Amino acid sequence: MMAEQSTPPVESEGTGPGRLRVFLVDDHAMFRAGVRAELGAHVEVVGEASTVSEAVSRIAATGPDVVLLDVHMPDGGGRAVLEAMRRSHPQVRFLALSVSDAAEDVIGLIRAGARGYVTKTISPDELAAAIRRVADGDAVFSPRLAGFVLDAFAARPDAPVADPELDQLTNREREVLRLLARGYAYKEIARELYISIKTVETHVSNVLRKLQMSNRYELSRWAADRRLV
């Protein structure tokens, strides 16, 4: 009688010794939890942070392969993390993951040292693939964003991206403006940015005042002229 042979189990993606170590930086706990859950089968999430100071200390302590980095946070955002880490930990690669797809955000993060930039509409499988490509040394962008980078670096590679009117606005005001210009209702903006409707109204009022405009239609036209939409 032939002895029964056992078949070794098939190892799932991300469970072997080459599993990538990823760190999450985002000021929304619910978003971090969602990303952690979605990426669990693909990578090892070794830590997370909600502020720049937390991110800098914890990235240094954990030494991840790739950091998923939000662009806008209350205390300085992704660029501040990059500037603090790039000299002391050059081996760590950064992939921006943001709700923002504005040209100045994309170019600013890439100039600061990020290896890629994708928006939060990306699927979990696409995000896992982007992380692996960044870890391998590739540059990764959502399709629409690659054009911003090519245009900026081809035209004037050392020129800062500056707009005096836009510079009046806080990071959060820019996010609200961008979504408003796309036709989002206040309720939809609140849900997208994890803030209250009252806070959205306050941001819109501040933007109208700073830009000396009277309604959302003027704001939408202004945002479109600057390719913020």
Side-chain angles (χ1 to χ4, degrees):
M1 184 176 178
M2 184 177 292
E4 184 178 351
Q5 295 182 341
S6 61
T7 303
V10 178
E11 197 173 66
S12 62
E13 180 183 1
T15 59
R19 194 177 194 193
L20 289 174
R21 304 173 74 254
V22 175
F23 193 98
L24 310 178
V25 181
D26 194 288
D27 60 332
H28 296 302
M30 288 181 63
F31 180 77
R32 295 197 309 272
V35 172
R36 181 186 285 272
E38 295 288 359
L39 290 179
H42 303 280
V43 302
E44 179 186 358
V45 178
V46 296
E48 58 184 65
S50 61
T51 68
V52 171
S53 58
E54 278 184 345
V56 170
S57 63
R58 293 179 184 177
I59 291 169
T62 55
D65 299 304
V66 177
V67 175
L68 284 182
L69 188 65
D70 193 14
V71 176
H72 298 307
M73 293 185 294
D75 59 342
R79 186 162 188 167
V81 177
L82 275 163
E83 290 171 348
M85 299 299 302
R86 63 184 176 184
R87 289 188 179 87
S88 60
H89 292 74
Q91 77 282 5
V92 179
R93 301 186 189 275
F94 291 83
L95 173 61
L97 176 63
S98 177
V99 69
S100 170
D101 60 1
E104 73 273 10
D105 287 336
V106 179
I107 296 164
L109 263 289
I110 298 305
R111 284 194 171 132
R115 293 294 303 174
Y117 193 118
V118 295
T119 62
K120 289 181 178 179
T121 57
I122 194 170
S123 72
D125 287 343
E126 289 172 334
L127 180 57
I131 291 169
R132 291 191 174 278
R133 287 179 60 193
V134 166
D136 288 339
D138 292 340
V140 180
F141 301 94
S142 295
R144 178 171 177 267
L145 308 185
F148 296 158
V149 178
L150 290 173
D151 289 347
F153 284 86
R156 295 180 63 194
D158 298 321
V161 178
D163 183 326
E165 289 186 295
L166 188 62
D167 288 345
Q168 299 179 72
L169 307 181
T170 66
N171 291 332
R172 183 62 87 191
E173 287 167 355
R174 295 185 195 190
E175 290 179 335
V176 170
L177 170 61
R178 193 169 298 117
L179 295 175
L180 190 73
R182 291 178 183 173
Y184 282 55
Y186 285 7
K187 182 178 180 180
E188 294 170 322
I189 296 173
R191 184 167 59 246
E192 184 76 17
L193 299 180
Y194 301 94
I195 57 179
S196 70
I197 296 175
K198 182 66 176 176
T199 301
V200 174
E201 293 173 348
T202 299
H203 286 314
V204 172
S205 296
N206 289 340
V207 172
L208 287 169
R209 174 178 52 79
K210 289 179 179 180
L211 299 180
Q212 298 182 2
M213 296 180 186
S214 58
N215 57 61
R216 67 179 296 166
Y217 304 104
E218 291 181 358
L219 288 177
S220 296
R221 189 162 55 248
W222 186 89
D225 288 344
R226 283 159 174 77
R227 298 175 66 184
L228 300 180
V229 182

